[in-house]
Amino acid sequence: MSFVPGNQQRHLRACMVCSIVQVQQRFIREGCPNCESFLGLQNHPDSVQECTSQVFEGLITLADPSKSWVARWQRLDGYVPGVYAVKVVGQFRAKLPEEVVQSIEDAGGRYVPRDGTVHDDDA
């Protein structure tokens, strides 16, 4: 994530799948750098609204996720370097749409909610 001026911080959103934090316009312009293959956020503002959230807690900056114990602890190893939320909650406790979860599974992935409801025993 590049520098975000103070007046743009209210536009920050976190991906509900991988928890990367970017400004809303970057999600629309470039999509999610980790999840684009199955979320398809690029040039789809409605999908950005459904699959990202302004409600998140804490920030983690990862320069090399493959070597970071924090990345392993947060299940972020294998993702691109960047700024990630510790916890992401969908607005009004909304969950990802079922078709999005299905597309993650179809792509060989497993959706783990980033809102803290799934513990190591469950994942």
Side-chain angles (χ1 to χ4, degrees), residues 12-56:
L12 288 174
R13 299 186 71 86
C15 175
M16 290 173 60
V17 177
C18 72
S19 78
I20 196 163
V21 176
Q22 304 182 132
V23 292
Q24 181 175 1
Q25 285 303 317
R26 186 166 180 188
F27 275 115
I28 294 170
R29 190 176 56 251
E30 301 172 17
C32 177
N34 297 306
C35 308
E36 189 59 24
S37 63
F38 48 85
L39 288 184
L41 302 180
Q42 188 174 17
N43 299 318
H44 294 99
D46 291 342
S47 295
V48 170
Q49 289 295 320
E50 284 185 337
C51 299
T52 67
S53 176
Q54 289 180 303
V55 184
F56 57 87

Side-chain angles (χ1 to χ4, degrees), residues 15 71 83 102:
C15 175
V83 177
Q102 187 61 50

